[in-house]
Amino acid sequence: MASHRRPKQPSRTRVTVLTATAAAAVALTSQAAQAAPKPSKDQVKAKTDALYEQAEKATEEYDGAKDKQKKLEQEIADLQDKVARGQSDLNTLRDGLGSLASAQYRTGGIDPSVQLFLSSNPDDYLDKASKLDQLSAQQIEQLKKVQKKQRMLAQQRQEASTKLKDLADTRTELGKKKKEVQAKLGQAQKLLNTLTAQEKATLAAKEERASRDSARSVLGDAKPASGRAGAAFQAAQTKIGTPYVYGASGPSSFDCSGLTSWAYAQAGVSIPRTSQEQANIGTRIYSQSDLQVGDLVFFFGDLHHVGLYAGNGQILHAPRTGTVVRYESMSTIGGPFEFGVRV
């Protein structure tokens, strides 16, 4: 018969130890919370600026992938059109060769080798065709045209297949970059949400004052712009106050390279979409004192930010998420000036 024993109660010593341990854990948690005070608005701004810079770098990579996707789609469409037209031409050539064979048959005897050709691939056959006395020069010429067209179609189909794979890879990369940008912006927004309404207003007012000061500075003396650069700069000026949106190239929103490419397009000049590609056109200007209004100006070692030189050390650009197209001092961009480009 089983015995029924009462569970052994914990000793007073053990209870005391457990209570002390729990109390210590609570105390440590409280100390940890006290050791991580709420960051100041300046600290929040510094962290969000760093996140915005990372987001802008990812944005330029996103723009590059999007531009590549657009070009690949057009190239694939062109190739598919060529293949369709080439297949139609091939069918016409085959029909013509069939007509020759039919005419030969009606006049007294089609060669068996031609019959074979009409129902098979002519590549192996053509190497021997020129040696056969039974074939006419016209038939041989027609065979050569068919073979050339078949090889061209095979090459175009292979090229289209390769580009389709590249397009699939590019779309995957595009999705990754989009998620990366959104993640950085989400982190920045969480940090900003820790600020009070008054702190947010203070930071916004500070940026607004800096932009007004830059705008006043632009009114001073500056080297004259060339015709195209001047026209691009004037176009960009009409977009002051337009919001920054990553991946946007106008006319109602822009990212940094979206603004510069749009502005030059208004001046009748087509330039690449991304800042890194824009850096490789025109004439480079390494001295800030040699810059002219409308020159492209690039910042950071990887050239992920670009704007238009506005004169007197100021630029006109689309800075980052949460801002608008505005003037800003080159000294406050957050990264070093690398060089300018005169288009």
Side-chain angles (χ1 to χ4, degrees):
M1 184 174 180
S3 61
H4 297 278
R5 296 180 181 178
R6 295 179 65 184
K8 186 179 179 180
Q9 297 298 320
S11 67
R12 180 174 296 179
T13 302
R14 186 181 178 197
V15 171
T16 302
V17 170
L18 291 173
T19 302
T21 302
V26 172
L28 287 172
T29 302
S30 177
Q31 289 174 3
Q34 292 175 359
K38 176 185 173 182
S40 68
K41 71 175 187 299
D42 291 335
Q43 290 173 324
V44 169
K45 185 180 186 307
K47 290 179 180 179
T48 54
D49 284 349
L51 286 167
Y52 281 138
E53 181 190 333
Q54 294 168 25
E56 186 178 35
K57 180 179 179 180
T59 292
E60 285 302 297
E61 293 169 348
Y62 168 83
D63 288 341
K66 189 166 67 172
D67 193 47
K68 182 178 180 181
Q69 175 184 258
K70 182 179 178 181
K71 289 177 181 177
L72 281 170
E73 287 173 341
Q74 184 59 56
E75 289 171 1
I76 289 169
D78 291 343
L79 276 171
Q80 290 173 336
D81 183 58
K82 287 180 181 178
V83 167
R85 285 187 282 109
Q87 186 63 54
S88 176
D89 293 343
L90 179 60
N91 292 340
T92 300
L93 287 170
R94 282 175 170 166
D95 290 344
L97 190 58
S99 298
L100 286 174
S102 297
Q104 188 180 35
Y105 176 78
R106 288 194 300 271
T107 57
I110 180 172
D111 186 90
S113 59
V114 176
Q115 290 179 320
L116 176 65
F117 162 74
L118 291 175
S119 60
S120 66
N121 190 303
D123 285 350
D124 295 333
Y125 168 77
L126 184 61
D127 294 333
K128 303 174 184 178
S130 61
K131 300 177 183 178
L132 298 177
D133 294 336
Q134 296 94 333
L135 290 177
S136 69
Q138 187 177 6
Q139 287 173 323
I140 291 174
E141 184 63 29
Q142 197 79 349
L143 281 169
K144 288 181 179 180
K145 288 180 180 179
V146 168
Q147 185 187 49
K148 181 179 179 181
K149 180 62 68 174
Q150 284 182 320
R151 287 174 176 169
M152 183 181 297
L153 281 174
Q155 182 179 353
Q156 288 173 340
R157 287 192 176 103
Q158 181 58 46
E159 187 177 353
S161 177
T162 300
K163 288 186 182 294
L164 282 168
K165 183 181 182 303
D166 196 7
L167 178 60
D169 293 341
T170 298
R171 284 174 172 162
T172 299
E173 180 67 14
L174 188 63
K176 289 180 180 178
K177 290 303 174 185
K178 184 175 183 178
K179 289 181 180 179
E180 184 179 347
V181 173
Q182 291 173 333
K184 297 296 183 184
L185 296 180
Q187 292 175 44
Q189 188 59 54
K190 284 182 180 179
L191 279 170
L192 289 173
N193 289 342
T194 65
L195 298 178
T196 65
Q198 182 58 46
E199 288 172 329
K200 291 178 183 178
T202 300
L203 289 176
K206 184 177 180 180
E207 288 192 352
E208 179 62 27
R209 283 195 302 272
S211 182
R212 286 199 302 267
D213 291 343
S214 293
R216 283 194 292 269
S217 182
V218 168
L219 298 177
D221 295 331
K223 293 183 178 180
S226 63
R228 296 187 301 181
F233 183 74
Q234 289 175 4
Q237 284 180 306
T238 68
K239 294 302 177 180
I240 291 174
T242 303
Y244 177 104
V245 174
Y246 80 89
S249 55
S252 58
S253 58
F254 300 92
D255 61 21
C256 71
S257 57
L259 175 65
T260 51
S261 60
W262 178 88
Y264 267 93
Q266 308 317 299
V269 182
S270 177
I271 65 175
R273 175 61 178 85
T274 67
S275 58
Q276 289 90 346
E277 290 177 317
Q278 291 176 12
N280 292 320
I281 62 174
T283 303
R284 290 194 175 184
I285 311 296
Y286 289 96
S287 173
Q288 184 174 328
S289 61
D290 292 332
L291 291 172
Q292 295 181 3
V293 173
D295 287 342
L296 297 172
V297 281
F298 298 87
F299 299 85
F300 301 96
D302 60 1
L303 311 176
H304 70 255
H305 188 70
V306 63
L308 294 165
Y309 188 64
N312 293 324
Q314 313 297 314
I315 68 168
L316 179 58
H317 69 150
R320 55 173 172 75
T321 297
T323 64
V324 296
V325 175
R326 69 189 188 194
Y327 294 109
E328 189 169 352
S329 170
M330 292 173 65
S331 63
T332 62
I333 298 302
F337 164 69
E338 298 295 331
F339 54 81
V341 165
R342 188 158 300 150
V343 180

